[in-house]
């Protein structure tokens, strides 16, 4: 057996060690505890040391795992819901395309949030804007019969900066090119497919509501229109305010490059912005100036040295200088650098964050500037649900993969050619349901994770983007507003609706989800990862939006206007003046 306590052991060696220990009869949980203690993975450290990781790892699936069949059942309500989605295809696709064209950034989704809300209002939902104080967040509720189980659906609609792209174009062709002689760029675009995400979820919620009413089922359907997912702000804060309390189950999906579900976890994350303050001055006479940009560059450089000895393979650290000055001839007095700090659990994030903060202080000291930091968001790792994933998989298998047309496949292959990828097109099967890798190697984060610690939660993906490509790209934006995205979102809506209705007509399934949830969370005391006194960032809405949604400004939970950040630093001393030399 290899030495699991060697900090330089490769992930591949760790996997081989896990296989060796499993063959020797060691339980998966014990394997994970040993690997976690070695820093090779953070999927489940010792339960007493890191209960969040242990809960996310859950019990082992065992060798030769086969997904159970027969969980998903045909029912009149399910048939009605799926038929309604098919009949409403044009309207559903139209909602996606409207939001795609809006391409609004986080916290400013004025038109997009209204479009989704109006779609649900027409489906009989009661809509209330201003969830958790966010102007563009809303909660839509529909009750059938006596109420029954409360099922939640996750809606999003924010775009990403710089990813503008013409829909269906097979090569990079920005729809909005922003001309600036010194800093040309592109407009925002749906490079993560949230136009499809929110639309499919809204369609599923509406289908479940309509079918439940038609067939006399008792259920409460709640749709949560969430702002700023790309910043991981909307849901994390809303959870801390109890918005998702009293749900019985929560259904989530996200555009992907494959059609699959599972019960993997995700990384916890803290987003933090460091602001350096110096003294401005003419670039031609820089002596005594204090460059805040120098400090930000120093910090970025020094933080890279954390990777070898301070970061396990499960960790991620990425940054962007979001304010570095405007012109070279003025020494930047203020500079800001934003970091995403990711690890397997909130405790491990906190440990890495402390190191990043220490780097900022060192950069400030070296540059003679001052520094302050502000946490803009923080979320947990996701708590999976094996039983929920098995039910979702059974429905996905029965319904089948997205109906990608020849046009959709051609768009995908053109994009793959442009990106230098094998021209395999779009994934056209349902991916196998397999147990999570026992070695957790990190990855992305989601603000759905905080919801998953309150209520049994399932997530799935459908193939909106080409095989081999990635989210957060212009190529995904091309697909999201065209044939690949249309087929993916319609399939996702069906998977979500079918699974939700199984929970209504088969109460034993919902009972099983809750039992697993209770067992996983037994040793975990969830507490928001947001700091005490946290106030979420917001933008002031336009007056027409406030009037349309019946809101006033500002909400009670923030200070407005925010405190100004102004440098009070002094020029740097060069010491006594030198005597002239003759």
């Amino acid at each position: 057996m290899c030495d699991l306590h060697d900090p330089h052991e490769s992930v591949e060696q760790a996997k081989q060690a896990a296989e060796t220990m499993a063959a020797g009869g060691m339980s998966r949980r014990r394997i994970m505890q040993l690997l976690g203690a070695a820093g090779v993975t953070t999927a489940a450290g010792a339960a007493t040391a890191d209960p969040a990781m242990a809960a996310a790892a859950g019990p082992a699936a065992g060798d030769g795992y086969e997904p159970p069949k027969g969980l998903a059942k045909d029912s009149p309500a399910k048939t009605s819901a799926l038929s309604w989605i098919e009949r409403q295809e044009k309207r559903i696709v139209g909602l996606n395309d409207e939001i795609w064209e809006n391409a609004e950034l986080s916290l400013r989704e004025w038109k997009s949030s209204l479009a989704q809300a109006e779609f649900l209002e027409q489906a009989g939902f009661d809509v209330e804007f201003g969830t958790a104080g966010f102007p563009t967040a809303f909660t839509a509720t529909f009750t059938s019969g006596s109420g029954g189980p409360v099922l939640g659906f996750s809606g999003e609609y924010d775009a990403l900066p710089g990813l503008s792209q013409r829909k269906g174009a097979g090569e990079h062709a920005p729809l909005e090119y922003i001309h600036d002689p010194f800093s040309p760029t592109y407009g925002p675009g749906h490079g993560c497919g949230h136009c499809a995400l929110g639309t499919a979820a809204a369609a599923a919620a509406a289908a479940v509501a309509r079918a439940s009413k038609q067939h006399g089922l008792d259920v409460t359907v709640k749709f949560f229109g969430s702002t700023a997912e790309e910043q991981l702000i909307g849901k994390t804060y809303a959870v801390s305010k109890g918005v998702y309390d009293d749900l019985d189950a929560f259904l989530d999906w996200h555009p992907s490059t494959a059609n699959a579900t599972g019960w993997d976890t995700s990384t916890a994350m803290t987003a933090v912005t460091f602001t350096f303050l110096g003294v401005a001055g003419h670039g031609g006479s820089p002596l005594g100036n204090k460059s805040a940009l120098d400090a930000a560059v120093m910090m970025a450089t020094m933080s890279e040295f954390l990777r070898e000895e301070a970061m396990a393979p499960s960790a991620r650290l990425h940054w962007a200088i979001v304010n570095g000055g405007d012109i070279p001839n003025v020494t930047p007095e203020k500079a800001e650098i934003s970091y995403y700090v990711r690890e397997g659990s909130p405790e491990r994030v906190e440990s890495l964050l402390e190191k990043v903060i220490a780097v900022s202080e060192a950069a400030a000291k070296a540059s003679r500037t001052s520094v302050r930091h502000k946490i803009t968001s923080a979320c947990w790792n996701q708590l999976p649900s094996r039983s929920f994933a098995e039910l979702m998989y059974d429905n996905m298998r029965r319904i089948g993969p997205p109906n990608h047309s020849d046009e959709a496949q051609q768009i995908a292959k053109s994009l793959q050619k442009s990106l230098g990828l094998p021209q395999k097109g779009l994934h056209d099967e349902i991916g196998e349901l397999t147990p999570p890798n026992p070695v957790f190697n990190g990855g992305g984060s989601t603000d759905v994770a905080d919801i998953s610690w309150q209520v049994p939660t399932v997530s799935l993906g459908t193939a909106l983007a080409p095989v081999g490509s990635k989210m957060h790209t212009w190529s995904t934006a091309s697909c999201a507003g065209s044939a690949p995205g249309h087929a993916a979102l319609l399939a996702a809506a069906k998977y979500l609706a079918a699974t939700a209705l199984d929970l209504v007509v088969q109460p034993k399934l919902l009972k099983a989800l809750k039992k697993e949830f209770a067992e996983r969370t037994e040793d975990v005391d969830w507490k928001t990862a947001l700091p005490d006194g946290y106030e979420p960032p917001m933008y002031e809405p336009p007056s027409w939006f406030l009037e349309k949604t019946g809101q006033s400004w500002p909400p009670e939970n923030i200070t407005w206007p925010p405190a100004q950040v102004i440098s009070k630093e002094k020029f740097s001393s060069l010491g006594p003046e030198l005597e002239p030399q003759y």
Side-chain angles (χ1 to χ4, degrees):
M1 185 186 299
C2 62
D3 179 8
L4 293 180
H5 296 282
D6 180 357
H8 297 287
E9 181 180 52
S10 70
V11 171
E12 187 57 38
Q13 289 173 317
K15 291 181 180 178
Q16 293 172 1
E19 293 170 359
T20 301
M21 289 186 286
M26 189 176 292
S27 72
R28 178 174 178 270
R29 179 166 293 225
R30 180 57 181 151
I31 293 171
M32 296 311 302
Q33 290 173 351
L34 291 173
L35 292 176
V40 174
T41 179
T42 59
T48 55
D50 201 337
M53 289 306 304
D63 294 334
Y65 169 77
E66 291 289 340
K69 296 181 179 179
L71 297 174
K73 301 287 188 182
D74 290 333
S75 66
K78 184 185 291 188
T79 300
S80 295
L82 299 184
S83 297
W84 184 86
I85 291 170
E86 291 176 354
R87 293 196 307 273
Q88 297 294 318
E89 177 179 330
K90 184 176 181 180
R91 184 164 162 249
I92 294 168
V93 167
L95 175 62
N96 172 82
D97 291 357
E98 179 182 352
I99 296 173
W100 184 92
E101 290 167 3
N102 291 335
E104 295 171 303
L105 296 174
S106 295
L107 300 169
R108 289 159 282 180
E109 314 96 330
W110 321 119
K111 298 177 182 177
S112 301
S113 61
L114 274 170
Q116 274 189 21
E118 289 171 355
F119 178 91
L120 289 163
E121 281 182 326
Q122 292 172 13
F125 283 70
D126 294 323
V127 174
E128 183 175 354
F129 268 89
T131 303
F134 291 109
T136 56
F138 68 89
T139 302
T141 306
F142 181 95
T143 301
S144 174
S146 61
V150 185
L151 307 181
F153 290 86
S154 179
E156 299 165 9
Y157 24 72
D158 56 336
L160 284 160
L163 295 183
S164 176
Q165 170 67 13
R166 298 185 184 277
K167 63 173 66 176
E171 58 184 25
H172 199 185
L175 181 64
E176 181 184 7
Y177 183 91
I178 302 173
H179 173 71
D180 184 294
F182 298 102
S183 182
T185 186
Y186 317 123
H190 274 286
C192 202
H194 288 182
C195 52
L197 189 160
T199 296
V208 171
R210 182 181 179 86
S212 297
K213 183 177 181 180
Q214 181 180 349
H215 295 278
L217 301 179
D218 295 331
V219 64
T220 298
V221 182
K222 301 195 79 170
F223 178 94
F224 298 91
S226 179
T227 182
E229 191 281 337
E230 298 296 2
Q231 307 284 354
L232 296 185
I233 291 171
K235 301 182 193 69
T236 51
Y237 181 71
V239 169
S240 73
K241 297 302 180 183
V243 169
Y244 297 89
D245 290 353
D246 303 322
L247 291 175
D248 290 295
F250 190 78
L251 298 97
D252 170 58
W253 88 284
H254 199 287
S256 180
T257 58
N259 309 298
T261 187
W263 68 94
D264 297 83
T265 186
S266 61
T267 54
M269 191 197 84
T270 292
V272 55
T273 296
F274 296 88
T275 300
F276 291 93
L277 299 175
V279 179
H282 197 295
S285 52
L287 289 180
N289 299 351
K290 292 181 180 178
S291 172
L293 178 59
D294 284 354
V297 172
M298 287 182 196
M299 181 179 181
T301 303
M302 287 191 289
S303 66
E304 293 299 308
F305 287 93
L306 295 173
R307 298 191 184 278
E308 183 175 6
E309 296 166 337
M311 292 175 59
S314 52
R316 300 288 188 275
L317 187 66
H318 28 149
W319 51 266
I321 295 177
V322 294
N323 177 11
D326 299 306
I327 186 170
N329 209 25
V330 176
T331 300
E333 182 173 275
K334 183 191 295 186
E336 290 167 308
I337 180 169
S338 292
Y339 278 78
Y340 281 6
V341 183
R342 306 184 199 253
E343 248 290 7
S345 72
E347 288 188 54
R348 290 181 69 100
V349 168
E350 184 64 28
S351 177
L352 180 55
L353 178 61
E354 289 176 1
K355 300 178 178 69
V356 176
I357 292 173
V359 167
S360 75
E361 294 167 348
K365 186 173 183 179
S367 61
R368 303 297 180 92
T369 60
S370 63
V371 65
R372 62 188 69 187
H373 71 270
K374 180 179 182 180
I375 292 175
T376 56
S377 183
C379 66
W380 278 52
N381 52 311
Q382 183 154 346
L383 180 68
S385 173
R386 172 177 164 179
S387 50
F388 215 163
E390 289 173 339
L391 173 61
M392 176 63 75
Y393 173 74
D394 204 23
N395 272 297
M396 294 176 71
R397 182 184 59 80
R398 289 166 65 91
I399 293 170
N403 184 24
H404 285 303
S405 63
D406 291 342
E407 178 192 2
Q409 293 289 3
Q410 185 55 52
I411 291 171
K413 290 177 181 179
S414 296
L415 288 167
Q416 288 163 332
K417 182 179 180 181
S418 294
L419 296 168
L421 298 170
Q423 296 178 47
K424 297 181 179 180
L426 293 152
H427 188 223
D428 57 2
E429 299 176 349
I430 300 298
E432 293 185 12
L433 181 65
T434 58
N437 190 329
V439 178
F440 180 62
N441 292 317
S445 308
T446 171
D447 57 2
V448 171
D450 284 63
I451 301 172
S452 72
W453 291 92
Q454 322 304 316
V455 56
T457 299
V458 70
S459 296
L460 72 119
T462 63
L464 177 146
V467 173
S469 65
K470 297 183 179 182
M471 297 293 103
H472 292 199
T473 62
W474 60 266
S475 59
T476 299
S478 175
C479 292
S482 60
H486 298 163
L489 77 88
L490 290 169
K494 291 182 178 180
Y495 303 150
L496 292 167
T499 303
L501 284 166
D502 273 325
L503 296 179
V504 179
V505 300
Q506 300 186 72
K508 64 178 183 179
L509 296 179
L510 184 57
K511 185 177 180 180
L513 304 189
K514 291 185 172 184
K515 181 176 182 292
E516 180 187 348
F517 178 80
E519 291 171 349
R520 283 182 179 266
T521 57
E522 183 178 6
D523 298 322
V524 181
D525 182 20
W526 182 89
K527 180 181 182 297
T528 181
L530 296 170
D532 292 340
Y534 172 83
E535 290 190 11
M538 294 191 192
Y539 294 90
E540 184 172 1
S543 57
W544 65 263
F545 180 82
L546 292 172
E547 182 178 354
K548 182 83 172 177
T549 58
Q551 299 182 77
S552 59
W553 184 261
E556 296 179 354
N557 57 328
I558 66 168
T559 302
W560 196 265
Q564 296 182 344
V565 180
I566 299 174
S567 177
K568 302 293 185 181
E569 298 297 308
K570 298 177 174 57
F571 285 114
S572 179
S573 171
L574 301 176
E577 292 187 8
L578 295 175
E579 295 293 330
Q581 301 295 311
Y582 298 102

